[in-house]
């Protein structure tokens, strides 16, 4: 989710009994991120820190859902398989995401308008 | 996720190795729904079958992310707690959702622009 201000959003999810597990900055995306644990899943709250894609999203759409992510064991292998199957990738090779994980985005046209991220765990 | 056509979207998630667990119609919302298993989480693909909120969403926004849902043990109790804490609910009492579960929606202003659903499991 793209949010205006992490602290406020973390409090909101606290109303459902959900707790922040970690927080940090990803310079490459110019964002601050808070991860909220929800069972084996995580909610990723993303606050733009200045110019970039996330700030553009916020200005255009307001706060809200931005993308979903799936854990994969071997991201290079998965990207290679998807590419061979003709799936349009935004990132043909992984880049560094939050927490030092390798990540890659797939074009939303491949998933009915939903931006999909793969995260190597 | 709101999608135009379930069959195509189910195939797309199949590219990630994710499989449909069940499918059905919810008359009250005028939609067909496909649930895709992803670990302990589920992706809910929602196709409008005619007039209604979901068709309006699709016409306005196109395909994409629509809401997130959390499982709760006792939905009446949770709604009562949230209401007492001043949280604005869309559904003050639960209604019937997919698979016969009791569900309720919370106003997106309470979660930084994200429409949140509670589902009694």
């Amino acid at each position: 989710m793209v949010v205006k201000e992490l602290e406020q959003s973390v409090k909101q999810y606290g109303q459902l009994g959900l707790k922040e597990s970690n927080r940090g900055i990803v310079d490459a995306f110019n964002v601050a991120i808070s991860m909220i644990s929800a069972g084996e899943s995580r909610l990723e709250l993303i606050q733009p820190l200045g110019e970039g894609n996330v700030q553009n999203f916020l200005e255009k759409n307001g706060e809200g859902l931005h993308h979903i992510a799936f854990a994969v064991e071997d991201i290079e292998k998965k990207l290679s398989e998807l590419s061979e199957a003709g799936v349009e990738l935004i990132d043909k090779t992984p880049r560094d995401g939050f927490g030092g994980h390798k990540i890659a985005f797939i074009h939303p046209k491949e998933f009915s308008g939903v931006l999909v991220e793969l995260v190597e765990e």
Side-chain angles (χ1 to χ4, degrees), chain A:
Chain A
M1 297 78 156
V2 171
V3 306
K4 284 182 189 163
E5 204 278 304
L6 287 184
E7 205 59 51
Q8 166 72 4
S9 300
V10 170
K11 274 186 201 160
Q12 291 171 329
Y13 285 98
Q15 295 175 313
L16 296 178
L18 301 172
K19 292 184 173 59
E20 183 177 50
S21 58
N22 49 336
R23 192 184 292 204
I25 286 172
V26 182
D27 287 323
F29 292 91
N30 206 11
V31 296
I33 285 176
S34 167
M35 287 290 186
I36 310 281
S37 291
E40 69 172 24
S41 298
R42 294 189 294 273
L43 308 179
E44 183 181 22
L45 306 178
I46 311 169
Q47 176 193 325
L49 296 175
E51 285 182 17
N53 288 343
V54 176
Q55 182 149 298
N56 293 346
F57 177 94
L58 184 59
E59 285 169 4
K60 186 178 171 193
N61 304 288
E63 295 184 305
L65 294 165
H66 184 269
H67 69 274
I68 58 172
F70 298 102
V72 295
E73 283 184 14
D74 182 338
I75 195 166
E76 273 95 352
K77 186 180 168 202
K78 180 58 76 179
L79 289 173
S80 170
E81 286 171 5
L82 291 170
S83 184
E84 281 167 28
V87 173
E88 187 172 328
L89 306 173
I90 292 175
D91 300 308
K92 285 173 187 169
T93 55
R95 40 184 173 164
D96 292 334
F98 183 60
H101 293 284
K102 289 187 201 172
I103 64 159
F105 286 94
I106 303 173
H107 197 286
K109 82 184 179 77
E110 301 291 356
F111 291 97
S112 304
V114 172
L115 178 61
V116 167
E117 178 186 9
L118 302 180
V119 183
E120 188 173 282
E121 296 258 296

